[in-house]
């Protein structure tokens, strides 16, 4: 027989702290009578406990079995472990005891599908038991974790948890370790009540006529679609069955018999409802105290360490939805597969699913511009040998002596040193450029219109077509700030009476302050960028700096420094300032709050990331002056473009910032969550982050496993959107200078999508589901970017490329008469003005052993009279007029095409519109039939009791036109001081 363990030997872990599992640990550890210290006891108890369960089912221990609830099996198990005899006999007896316990669990809980213990090693059984209350029936829907040593917070926790139970939630505590857990379960009554309160749309039971709603496709259309569909990209229908067409309607307890109740108990509904309740419960008896509500405040004050929903299993264990999504969706080798968006929506909620749907659609839409960009680069390389300009620049026998590029320590140089950059410039600036620019402008608006159609199908299938931010309930922070406000307004959409903040007196001052600080930081970003421009000028002014390679290396070094400065400012603003400023504003709903935060962040990021590119595209080399009179800033000459044009430098800068940003983001997104999770696990497991007398956290069920994961916040999804929308701006606004930008974006996004899914499933706690029917303000931002891109593309072609000067050179009558050519022969010499070195200022330090040098400008030669020397010639004004004309023509033509495309493509497919109309009609008829049945049953019942028709009408509030009006009470009875708004009784109005 086994002997008892003397608990007095372990003063740091008293017997009063033991729960059922701890008691079992001590009973079984008695066979190791030589255990003399706390560490060996902790290790030994886990070893024996795990081994006992391993014998029963599979390789991984089930650590959440409640052996105490079955005394006979528990006693037999303890006796078996501690009794004498051979080890094989004890293992056999222990296995039989565990199997007997599993069978008794299944008999006592027939509603639960335990599955076979032997099948698949019992993984399904173990995963279920890891997420249940002690009774083995109720699921753990949400968990609150706190440190027992923080006794000063006991009163707040007690009040908060008492209010949760008053709301109808069921709580159970686990106090086996120093980190205690409060397990929360939402019963059916709470789910039903709040589903109606939140106006959740749930599927109706199958109606006979609903199969006729969706019209069959034409065979020819279906055949064409199947022909262009890649079979390798199709999902395995055995793992992800196609979604069935269902009718969705706002849940009502009065009509609960019409609904398919299994969707009422879905995990996403449970989590969303519990989180809604947690956000609005008070933890103080002071009704008029400020900020004494909500789980977020409790987390900030350290009352609870964490609050999170549970994943449905371990990601490495087959048999759960989490593992299925990870292997079939969050794996890089599945990059070609379509996404199981319906399963993602059922697991993470519509908001996250819509992000992945948008990212997948955007990635697929990058395929055409990637192909067009590759063709453009191939065309440039294949026709490089026929380019007259680069051939003239690289010709050593026809080289031009160029004027010095700085005022000191510089000398004259030969143009053939820019041979490599001139060839590179031609690859991206050739006859193909205008076609590529026109294609990208049309592609951008086509992408936005097609996304609206694609998302409309998803939103309708998920029952969110009619959802809007007005239906959302007010944020608890908003209601708390306006708690004492006498101004209240009835919200007909949400059917609530809530406080209202007047615009000019309350909202406008906060908005003005917030956006003023945003403009201040934008100015700081611009000033920082201007300092980089001065750095670039100073580097160009030094001839000794990488002398012969400075034409390529100057842009590279400046681009790297720009990327570093951008990243630092981005981190400070995004992680600290933007959220602080948004909290100052009075934003009613979570959607409004997130949109305001998004606009602030994007405005800053727009200037932060795009300033250097706008400078190179529109300002660099445009106002330099000429050798006798240079325009200077802080005593330093402005930068000049390469004689071949600034488009090459714009391409280098864009490639560094865009590709560099993608690489940095990918490394950080993959490495940081892994290291944070690993460090958190090590600290909690080894007790490194706690005092020496506290116990380390030992994972043994789903809530202790998930405790180590990183928290997922709304800011996490915002950063994902921001990265992709900035990329969209790179491609559309400046993509003309780098035709391979869509290709690099495509490769990055295909990898990014799977990595985002992987890290969300492996490294983060399960997010709280949120409803939405669009991607929010991001669509509006992309629409504005599309319009900016048209103007930007027109300016780049007109002022940064050689297209317009080439056209003028080949079409101008005077030039034709003097050069007697219709091609670009002599074009390079025509674009380089001449300067007499004797006209340099007397204090110049140049070696004046040459009489003439050249510079890239259109100016009169030194042979002209004094009053006309180095002035702008007539041809310069002709070129300027041609450039302005091109701006007007290009923008109007592209704008007209974009308008036609947007008008010709309806936002919602016509077929979908017809389906929605048929569904509404069928739902209306179904509801009417149900009400008629109730009236007939009521009339029969009352007739049997001798009641009159007048009594029937009074009892059920039947309006004379036949409409049944019922009073609905959402939530528990509350007063105006609580965070639940009062509900209007609209029966009296009828």
């Amino acid at each position: 027989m086994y002997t008892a363990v003397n608990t007095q030997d372990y003063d740091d872990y008293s017997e009063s702290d033991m729960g059922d599992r701890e008691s079992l640990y001590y009973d079984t550890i008695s066979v190791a009578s030589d255990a003399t210290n706390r560490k060996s006891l902790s290790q030994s108890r886990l070893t024996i406990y795990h081994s006992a369960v391993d014998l029963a089912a599979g390789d991984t221990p089930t650590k959440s079995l409640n052996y105490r609830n079955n005394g006979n099996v528990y006693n037999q198990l303890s006796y078996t472990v501690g009794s004498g005899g051979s080890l094989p006999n004890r293992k056999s007896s222990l296995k039989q005891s565990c199997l007997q316990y599993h069978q008794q669990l299944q008999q006592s809980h027939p509603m639960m599908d335990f599955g076979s213990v032997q099948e698949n090693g019992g993984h399904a059984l173990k995963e279920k038991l890891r997420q249940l209350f002690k009774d083995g029936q109720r699921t753990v829907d949400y968990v609150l974790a706190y440190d027992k040593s923080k006794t000063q917070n006991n009163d707040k926790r007690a009040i908060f948890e008492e209010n949760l139970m008053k709301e109808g939630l069921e709580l159970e505590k686990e106090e086996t370790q120093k980190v205690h857990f409060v397990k929360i379960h939402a019963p059916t009554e709470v789910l039903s009540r709040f589903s109606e309160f939140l106006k959740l749309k749930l599927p109706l039971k199958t109606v006979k006529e609903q199969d006729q709603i969706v019209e069959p496709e034409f065979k020819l259309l279906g055949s064409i679609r199947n022909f262009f569909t890649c079979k390798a990209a199709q999902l395995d229908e055995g793992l992800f069955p196609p979604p069935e067409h269902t009718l969705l309607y706002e849940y009502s307890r009065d009509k609960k018999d019409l609904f398919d109740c299994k969707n009422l108990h879905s995990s996403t509904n449970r989590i969303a409802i519990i989180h809604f309740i947690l956000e609005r419960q008070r933890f103080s008896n002071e009704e008029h105290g400020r900020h004494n509500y909500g789980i977020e405040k409790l987390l900030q004050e350290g009352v609870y360490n964490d609050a999170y929903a549970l994943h449905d299993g371990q990601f490495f264990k087959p048999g759960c939805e989490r593992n299925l999504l990870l292997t079939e969706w969050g794996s890089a080798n599945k990059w070609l597969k379509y996404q199981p968006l319906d399963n993602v929506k059922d697991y993470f909620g519509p908001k996250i699913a819509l992000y992945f749907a948008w990212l997948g659609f955007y990635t697929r839409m990058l395929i055409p511009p990637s192909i067009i960009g590759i063709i453009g680069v191939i065309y440039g390389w294949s026709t490089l040998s026929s380019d007259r300009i680069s051939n003239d620049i690289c010709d050593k026998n026809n080289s031009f002596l160029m004027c010095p590029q700085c005022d000191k320590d510089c000398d004259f140089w030969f143009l053939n040193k820019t041979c490599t950059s001139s060839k590179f410039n031609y690859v991206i600036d050739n006859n193909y450029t205008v076609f590529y620019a026109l294609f990208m402008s049309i592609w951008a608006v086509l992408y936005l219109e097609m996304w609206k159609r694609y998302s409309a199908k998803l939103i309708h299938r998920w029952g969110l077509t009619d959802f809007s931010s007005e239906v959302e309930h007010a944020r608890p922070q908003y209601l708390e700030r306006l708690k004492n406000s006498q101004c209240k307004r009835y919200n007909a959409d949400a059917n609530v009476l809530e406080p209202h903040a007047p615009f000019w007196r309350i909202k406008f001052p906060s908005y003005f302050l917030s956006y003023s600080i945003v403009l201040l930081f934008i100015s700081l970003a611009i000033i920082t960028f201007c300092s980089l421009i001065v750095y670039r000028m100073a580097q160009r002014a030094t001839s000794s700096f990488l002398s012969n390679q400075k034409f390529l290396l100057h842009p590279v070094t400046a681009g790297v420094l720009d990327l570093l400065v951008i990243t630092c400012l981005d981190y400070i603003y995004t992680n600290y300032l933007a959220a602080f400023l948004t909290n100052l504003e009075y934003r009613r709903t979570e959607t409004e709050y997130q949109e305001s935060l998004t606009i602030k962040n994007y405005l800053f990021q727009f200037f932060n990331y795009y300033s250097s590119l706008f400078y190179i595209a529109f300002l660099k080399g445009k106002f330099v002056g000429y050798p006798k009179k240079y325009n200077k800033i802080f005593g330093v000459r402005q930068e000049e473009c390469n004689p071949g044009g600034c488009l090459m430098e714009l391409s280098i800068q864009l490639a560094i910032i865009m590709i560099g940003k993608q690489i940095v983001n990918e490394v950080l997104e993959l490495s940081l969550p892994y290291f944070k999770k690993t460090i958190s696990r090590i600290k909690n497991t080894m007790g490194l982050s706690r005092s020496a007398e506290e116990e380390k956290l030992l994972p043994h069920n789903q809530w202790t496993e998930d405790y180590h994961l990183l928290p997922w916040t709304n800011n996490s999804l915002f950063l994902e959107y921001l990265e992709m929308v900035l990329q969209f701006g790179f491609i559309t606004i400046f993509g003309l200078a780098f035709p391979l930008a869509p290709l690099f974006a495509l490769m990055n996004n295909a990898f990014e999508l799977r990595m985002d899914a992987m890290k969300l499933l492996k490294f983060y706690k399960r997010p709280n589901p949120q409803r939405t029917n669009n991607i929010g303000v991001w669509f509006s931002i992309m629409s504005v970017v599309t319009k900016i891109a048209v103007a930007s593309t027109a300016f780049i072609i007109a002022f940064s490329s050689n297209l317009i000067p080439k056209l003028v050179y080949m079409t101008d009558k005077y030039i034709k008469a003097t050069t007697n050519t219709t091609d670009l022969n002599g074009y390079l010499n025509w674009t380089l003005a001449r300067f007499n070195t004797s006209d340099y200022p007397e204090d110049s330090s140049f070696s004046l052993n040459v009489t003439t040098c050249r510079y890239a400008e259109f100016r009169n030669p030194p042979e002209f009279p004094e009053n006309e020397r180095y002035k702008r010639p007539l041809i310069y004004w002709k070129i300027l007029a041609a450039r302005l004309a091109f701006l007007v023509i290009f923008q109007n033509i592209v704008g007209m095409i974009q308008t036609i495309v947007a008008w010709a493509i309806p936002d919602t497919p016509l077929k979908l519109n017809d389906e929605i109309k048929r569904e509404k009609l069928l739902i209306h008829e179904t509801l009417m039939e149900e009400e008629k049945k109730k009236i007939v049953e009521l009339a029969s019942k009352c007739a049997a009791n001798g009641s009159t028709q007048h009594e029937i009408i009074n009892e059920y509030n039947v309006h004379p036109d036949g409409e049944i009006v019922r009073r609905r009470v959402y939530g528990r009875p509350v007063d105006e001081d609580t965070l639940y708004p009062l509900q209007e009784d609209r029966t009296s109005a009828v």
Side-chain angles (χ1 to χ4, degrees):
M1 298 295 291
Y2 60 88
T3 58
V5 177
N6 186 3
T7 58
Q8 294 179 356
D9 294 339
Y10 314 104
D11 297 330
D12 62 329
Y13 197 74
S14 62
E15 189 173 2
S16 61
D17 291 335
M18 292 192 303
D20 293 337
R21 297 181 184 85
E22 299 296 285
S23 178
L24 175 61
Y25 294 152
Y26 274 79
D27 290 341
T28 56
I29 199 62
S30 60
V31 297
S33 58
D34 57 340
T36 57
N37 56 68
R38 183 67 182 86
K39 182 180 293 187
S40 62
L41 173 63
S42 175
Q43 295 173 348
S44 300
R45 72 182 187 185
L46 284 178
T47 302
I48 294 180
Y49 179 62
H50 292 179
S51 301
V53 181
D54 287 345
L55 291 172
D59 300 328
T60 303
T62 305
K63 308 183 187 71
S64 60
L65 293 176
N66 187 7
Y67 289 92
R68 280 290 191 185
N69 289 342
N70 194 312
N72 295 331
V73 178
Y74 164 73
N75 291 333
Q76 184 178 355
L77 174 63
S78 301
Y79 176 83
T80 304
V81 175
S83 61
S86 63
L87 182 60
N89 293 335
R90 283 182 292 176
K91 286 185 176 181
S92 177
S93 301
L94 180 58
K95 181 174 181 179
Q96 293 298 326
S97 300
C98 290
L99 291 176
Q100 181 182 350
Y101 178 71
H102 295 159
Q103 294 171 1
Q104 292 185 13
L105 273 178
Q106 191 169 12
Q107 293 174 2
S108 60
H109 308 296
M111 297 297 293
M112 179 177 175
D113 182 17
F114 285 94
S116 175
V117 177
Q118 291 82 7
E119 183 181 359
N120 296 326
H123 292 314
L125 168 65
K126 290 186 289 184
E127 291 303 320
K128 289 180 180 295
L129 292 175
R130 288 166 56 88
Q131 304 172 65
L132 298 176
F133 275 36
K134 291 181 180 180
D135 58 11
Q137 287 184 321
R138 293 173 295 172
T139 57
V140 179
D141 302 321
Y142 218 91
V143 169
L144 306 178
Y146 64 93
D147 195 335
K148 184 185 178 182
S149 61
K150 298 180 180 179
T151 57
Q152 68 275 16
N153 297 322
N154 287 345
D155 293 339
K156 292 182 179 179
R157 281 196 295 266
I159 296 173
F160 186 73
E161 291 168 12
E162 181 182 358
N163 288 335
L164 292 181
M165 288 187 288
K166 288 180 179 179
E167 201 63 61
L169 297 179
E170 298 176 358
L171 276 59
E172 181 179 81
K173 290 188 177 181
E174 180 185 293
E175 301 178 346
T176 58
Q177 303 188 64
K178 288 297 181 180
V179 178
H180 290 184
F181 296 92
V182 179
K183 297 172 284 186
I184 303 176
H185 172 77
T188 302
E189 187 275 331
V190 174
L191 296 176
S192 178
R193 175 158 41 100
F194 280 91
S195 293
E196 185 176 20
F197 178 54
L198 297 175
K199 298 185 177 181
L200 298 181
K201 282 191 174 183
L202 299 179
L204 296 172
K205 291 181 179 178
T206 304
V207 181
K208 185 183 300 184
E209 294 84 357
Q210 76 180 43
D211 295 336
Q212 303 175 6
I213 291 177
V214 180
E215 293 182 351
E217 266 188 349
F218 294 110
K219 291 185 178 180
L220 178 60
L221 181 61
S223 301
I224 295 175
R225 181 172 298 177
N226 292 333
F227 178 78
F228 287 101
T229 299
C230 179
K231 293 183 179 180
Q234 297 293 326
L235 292 170
D236 185 353
E237 295 188 359
L239 298 174
F240 303 103
E244 298 179 358
H245 184 269
T246 55
L247 299 177
L248 299 172
Y249 190 70
E250 286 184 9
Y251 180 78
S252 172
R253 286 177 291 176
D254 295 337
K255 305 177 180 63
K256 62 181 180 180
D257 295 336
L258 294 176
F259 291 89
D260 187 358
C261 293
K262 68 178 181 180
N263 289 277
L264 178 65
H265 300 276
S266 65
S267 59
T268 51
N269 283 355
R270 288 178 174 275
I271 297 170
I273 289 172
I274 293 176
H275 184 257
F276 181 84
I277 297 173
L278 291 175
E279 283 185 321
R280 287 159 172 78
Q281 289 305 312
R282 296 190 179 276
F283 52 82
S284 173
N285 291 326
E286 299 178 5
E287 291 294 335
H288 299 283
R290 292 182 60 82
H291 307 299
N292 57 358
Y293 67 92
I295 188 62
E296 291 186 9
K297 184 63 176 177
L298 291 174
L299 293 174
Q300 292 175 5
E301 295 181 355
V303 178
Y304 289 101
N305 295 352
D306 210 341
Y308 53 93
L310 297 185
H311 284 288
D312 76 333
Q314 295 171 294
F315 66 85
F316 54 84
K317 290 295 184 63
C320 63
E321 186 72 12
R322 185 185 183 189
N323 175 265
L324 177 63
L325 289 175
L326 182 62
T327 55
E328 298 295 329
W329 174 54
S331 178
N333 58 10
K334 303 290 183 181
W335 65 272
L336 188 60
K337 294 282 188 181
Y338 292 139
Q339 299 184 82
L341 294 175
D342 294 283
N343 295 66
V344 176
K345 188 268 298 183
D346 292 338
Y347 193 81
F348 291 116
K351 190 170 186 177
I352 291 180
L354 200 60
Y355 162 73
F356 282 102
W358 170 76
L359 180 56
F361 180 83
Y362 169 55
T363 303
R364 292 196 300 272
M365 287 294 292
L366 285 173
I367 296 176
S370 299
I371 296 174
I372 299 298
I374 293 173
I375 294 175
V377 172
I378 293 175
Y379 172 83
W381 282 110
S382 61
T383 59
L384 179 60
S385 59
S386 62
D387 178 42
R388 172 64 65 178
I389 299 175
S390 61
N391 289 336
D392 290 345
I393 291 177
C394 297
D395 187 2
K396 295 182 179 180
N397 299 324
N398 191 27
S399 187
F400 298 92
L401 184 67
M402 305 299 293
C403 297
Q405 291 188 314
C406 63
D407 296 331
K408 296 180 180 180
D409 301 326
C410 290
D411 208 341
F412 302 95
W413 55 282
F414 288 99
L415 184 60
N416 56 17
K417 290 183 179 181
T418 64
C419 177
T420 302
S421 59
S422 64
K423 291 180 178 180
F424 183 86
N425 190 81
Y426 172 77
V427 173
I428 59 177
D429 183 12
N430 48 60
N431 297 333
Y432 191 84
T433 302
V434 177
F435 168 76
Y436 181 75
L438 183 64
F439 173 83
M440 289 301 298
S441 299
I442 298 175
W443 171 86
V445 69
L446 184 64
Y447 149 71
L448 293 177
E449 294 301 318
M450 296 301 293
W451 162 249
K452 287 192 289 187
R453 292 172 59 87
Y454 177 73
S455 63
K457 298 177 182 179
L458 287 176
I459 294 303
H460 172 68
R461 192 163 76 225
W462 296 344
L464 295 168
T465 303
D466 300 326
F467 180 81
S468 68
S469 60
E470 295 299 326
V471 180
E472 287 186 75
H473 292 275
R475 298 168 61 240
Q477 296 85 348
Y478 172 84
L479 296 175
E480 182 68 17
R481 294 183 68 181
L482 297 175
K483 181 177 180 180
N484 299 323
S485 174
Q486 301 299 320
C487 181
K488 297 192 176 183
R489 178 177 294 181
Y490 175 71
N491 188 328
D493 293 315
N495 194 26
V496 295
L497 182 67
E498 62 187 23
H500 173 68
F503 179 79
W504 292 107
R505 184 165 57 87
I506 295 180
K507 289 186 176 181
F508 179 76
S510 65
Y511 294 169
F512 182 79
L513 174 63
S514 177
Y515 282 95
S516 297
I517 299 176
V518 171
L519 292 178
L520 177 64
F521 249 73
I522 290 175
S523 302
L524 177 62
I526 295 176
I527 292 172
T528 304
F529 168 70
C530 291
S531 65
L532 286 176
I533 295 178
V534 176
Y535 162 80
R536 294 162 65 104
M537 295 177 182
Q539 290 296 335
R540 260 191 195 276
T542 306
S543 62
S544 60
F545 180 76
L546 302 172
S547 56
N548 292 334
Q549 301 298 327
K550 62 184 178 180
F551 295 106
L552 287 176
L553 293 176
H554 278 171
V556 173
T557 56
V560 172
L561 285 175
D562 194 22
L563 177 62
L564 294 176
V565 173
I566 283 172
T567 304
C568 294
L569 289 175
D570 179 14
Y571 180 82
I572 296 173
Y573 184 89
T574 303
N575 290 278
Y576 298 101
L577 185 62
F580 171 77
L581 295 177
T582 310
N583 290 332
L584 297 177
E585 302 171 357
Y586 288 81
R587 298 296 178 178
R588 176 183 170 271
T589 64
E590 185 65 27
T591 299
E592 293 175 0
Y593 178 87
Q594 291 299 326
E595 288 184 353
S596 177
L597 180 63
T598 298
I599 292 173
K600 289 184 184 62
N601 276 291
Y602 187 78
L603 282 175
F604 177 79
Q605 304 296 352
F606 185 89
F607 289 95
N608 194 25
Y609 278 95
Y610 297 155
S611 294
S612 61
L613 300 175
F614 276 116
Y615 164 73
I616 296 174
F618 306 138
L619 297 178
K620 184 178 180 180
K622 305 299 187 296
F623 310 100
V624 176
Y626 60 98
K628 187 177 182 179
K629 187 179 179 181
Y630 283 114
N631 298 321
K632 298 183 178 181
I633 300 177
F634 300 114
V636 181
R637 279 170 49 180
Q638 296 184 37
E639 293 182 281
E640 299 180 36
C641 287
N642 186 287
C646 276
L647 209 59
M648 178 270 298
E649 295 188 32
L650 178 62
S651 177
I652 293 175
Q653 186 82 352
L654 176 60
I656 290 175
I657 294 178
M658 177 180 169
I659 300 176
K661 181 178 182 298
Q662 290 179 353
I663 294 174
V664 170
N665 285 341
E666 289 297 336
V667 172
L668 292 178
E669 287 182 10
L670 288 178
S671 60
L672 285 182
Y674 175 77
F675 285 120
K676 286 181 179 179
K677 178 188 174 184
T678 304
I679 293 172
S680 175
R681 181 181 291 275
I682 292 174
K683 285 183 176 181
N684 286 286
T685 303
M686 304 302 295
L688 299 179
S689 61
R690 290 171 165 76
S691 57
E693 66 274 7
E694 290 183 338
E695 184 189 11
K696 52 194 175 183
L697 179 62
L698 301 172
H700 60 279
N701 47 36
Q702 194 61 49
W703 48 91
T704 50
E705 289 281 352
D706 290 357
Y707 183 80
H708 301 288
L709 300 179
L710 302 177
W712 178 269
T713 63
N714 289 328
N715 193 48
S716 303
L717 193 60
F718 159 78
L719 294 176
E720 303 295 341
Y721 270 116
L722 179 63
E723 179 185 354
M724 292 297 107
V725 174
L726 286 174
Q727 181 195 92
F728 178 76
F730 287 135
I731 294 173
T732 54
I733 299 177
F734 307 104
L736 178 67
F738 188 39
L740 295 180
L743 177 63
F744 281 99
L746 174 63
M747 293 187 296
N748 172 81
N749 293 359
F751 183 75
E752 172 84 11
L753 190 151
R754 304 298 170 174
M755 292 303 101
D756 284 349
M758 183 271 292
K759 71 181 183 183
L760 188 58
L761 288 163
K762 289 182 64 174
F763 300 134
Y764 285 91
K765 294 181 175 69
R766 189 171 182 176
N768 296 310
Q770 292 179 294
R771 290 183 294 170
T772 185
N773 62 354
N774 52 55
I775 59 175
V777 72
W778 295 111
F779 183 87
S780 301
I781 290 175
M782 287 188 290
S783 298
V784 174
V785 168
T786 300
K787 292 177 173 57
I788 294 175
V790 176
S792 173
T793 301
F795 268 95
I796 291 174
I797 295 177
F799 291 96
S800 296
S801 75
N802 294 318
L803 175 67
I804 303 302
K806 287 179 182 178
L807 292 176
V808 173
Y809 182 81
M810 292 187 296
T811 57
D812 186 82
K813 295 181 180 179
Y814 176 77
I815 296 176
K816 284 183 178 181
T818 55
T819 60
N820 195 24
T821 182
T822 57
D823 58 9
L824 294 177
N825 187 25
Y827 171 81
L828 180 63
N829 182 57
W830 178 68
T831 59
L832 298 177
R834 289 186 295 112
F835 182 76
N836 193 332
T837 58
S838 62
D839 292 332
Y840 271 119
E842 296 180 357
D843 58 348
S844 300
S845 59
F846 307 127
S847 59
L848 302 179
N849 55 353
V850 295
T851 58
T852 304
C853 63
R854 310 295 291 268
Y855 60 100
E857 268 284 10
F858 291 99
R859 290 187 180 271
N860 291 329
E863 293 82 9
F864 273 55
E866 183 68 26
N867 59 341
E868 296 183 8
R869 187 181 302 172
Y870 306 126
K871 300 296 182 182
R872 296 290 188 185
L874 178 62
I875 193 63
Y876 170 82
W877 301 109
K878 288 183 178 181
I879 294 174
L880 180 61
R883 284 171 168 165
L884 296 177
F886 176 82
L887 283 177
V888 175
I889 295 173
F890 184 86
Q891 291 192 75
N892 280 277
I893 291 177
V894 173
M896 181 180 64
I897 295 175
Q898 288 183 337
T899 303
I900 294 174
V901 170
W903 171 81
I905 302 177
D907 295 347
T908 305
L910 297 178
K911 183 179 179 181
L912 180 60
N913 274 330
D914 293 338
E915 290 181 11
I916 293 175
K917 293 177 182 178
R918 295 191 192 100
E919 285 182 2
K920 288 183 178 180
L921 178 61
L922 184 56
I923 290 174
H924 179 72
E925 292 177 352
T926 303
L927 296 177
M928 291 297 296
E929 289 293 331
E930 182 67 18
E931 295 298 343
K932 289 179 181 180
K933 291 180 181 179
K934 289 184 178 180
I935 293 177
V936 171
E937 293 176 0
L938 176 63
S940 301
K941 178 181 176 181
C942 293
N945 296 333
S947 302
T948 62
Q949 182 181 4
H950 180 71
E951 292 172 344
I952 297 174
I953 294 177
N954 287 340
E955 181 181 354
Y956 280 83
N957 295 325
V958 181
H959 193 267
D961 61 4
E963 180 184 0
I964 295 182
V965 182
R966 298 176 185 270
R967 177 189 177 98
R968 296 179 175 85
V969 181
Y970 305 95
R972 58 185 174 83
V974 293
D975 52 33
E976 294 185 1
D977 292 332
T978 63
L979 292 177
Y980 281 109
L982 291 176
Q983 303 301 314
E984 286 291 316
D985 183 7
R986 305 182 70 179
T987 302
S988 57
V990 176

